[in-house]
Amino acid sequence: MKTEINPNETSRRNAFNWWISSTQPMVTVVKTFNVGKLRKASKRMDIKFNTLLCWCIGKAASTIDEFYLLPENGKMYRYDKLAINVIVIDKKGGISMCDIPYSDNIRTFDADYQRLTALAIDKCEILSLDGYMVIGTSALPHTELDIIVNQYSGTLNNPFAVWGRYRRSLFKTTLPISFQFHHAQMDGLHACRFLNNLQAEINRL
């Protein structure tokens, strides 16, 4: 459910007033994650690596109130559900997107992920969910990447996580992840809390 709220009655009051009219309101932070347990869990659970990472992103965000807020068209909205947006190569060779509803249950999330990405690939169109706060993601496993910066215009204000190919060494597997957010939605403190949560969820696998 999407509800308009008065930002002046929230903890985001000052940040909203400072950043909602900014021409470049987005902030990007990058953290290198140890994803060795994620890679092993992917094989053990027979769930794709990126699917598990998307689930961990949803899990890490779900306990942070600011992830349920979205500044949009000069207003602030609150949601009560999260979804993860993924980008796929469709059957025509282009890209399509779909929203995967976040569930605490990994198997439920995996089933929705497989069903909805297959539908997006087949239909070659954007499949969106109404009433969900969407966290965008993009996986570029074709090469290792140190950092990715998306558009800073404030046109697409949803938080966005991007990564490339993970890196394997003798003792660990690492993956840098770029995380972008609108400064009216959250501060660096919240972003750091999310990134720490994400590593903790990966470790729990």
Side-chain angles (χ1 to χ4, degrees), residues 16-186:
F16 183 88
N17 292 328
W18 290 334
W19 294 100
I20 195 61
S21 299
S22 173
T23 56
Q24 294 186 325
M26 311 304 286
V27 180
T28 300
V29 293
V30 183
K31 179 179 173 66
T32 298
F33 291 83
N34 186 334
V35 295
K37 289 187 177 180
L38 183 64
R39 185 171 61 84
K40 291 177 181 177
S42 172
K43 294 179 180 179
R44 184 180 72 250
M45 302 171 70
D46 193 27
I47 298 177
K48 292 180 180 179
F49 179 92
N50 283 336
T51 305
L52 276 183
L53 182 52
C54 285
W55 181 84
C56 288
I57 287 170
K59 182 70 172 177
S62 65
T63 60
I64 301 174
D65 291 343
E66 285 71 17
F67 271 88
Y68 295 86
L69 302 176
L70 181 66
E72 186 178 32
N73 298 322
K75 299 179 180 180
M76 181 72 86
Y77 295 91
R78 177 177 282 122
Y79 294 77
D80 58 4
K81 295 179 290 187
L82 296 179
I84 309 297
N85 179 269
V86 298
I87 300 173
V88 296
I89 304 298
D90 61 42
K91 67 180 183 182
K92 293 182 180 178
I95 61 171
S96 295
M97 295 185 290
C98 63
D99 296 340
I100 316 297
Y102 169 71
S103 168
D104 281 339
N105 188 297
I106 294 179
R107 295 296 179 183
T108 299
F109 183 84
D110 179 44
D112 287 338
Y113 189 104
Q114 293 187 54
R115 175 176 57 86
L116 292 169
T117 52
L119 193 60
I121 290 169
D122 184 61
K123 287 184 171 293
C124 305
E125 61 186 38
I126 297 173
L127 302 179
S128 349
L129 291 173
D130 291 330
Y132 284 78
M133 174 59 199
V134 176
I135 303 169
T137 69
S138 181
L140 301 168
H142 316 289
T143 190
E144 297 85 358
L145 296 168
D146 295 321
I147 186 172
I148 307 169
V149 177
N150 201 29
Q151 64 169 322
Y152 262 56
S153 65
T155 302
L156 297 174
N157 296 341
N158 297 64
F160 191 65
V162 198
W163 57 90
R165 181 190 300 162
Y166 58 67
R167 301 167 179 177
R168 296 181 61 182
S169 66
L170 185 60
F171 297 107
K172 62 181 179 179
T173 304
T174 59
L175 178 66
I177 298 178
S178 294
F179 175 63
Q180 180 175 294
F181 60 94
H182 195 294
H183 216 329
Q185 178 191 18
M186 68 180 76

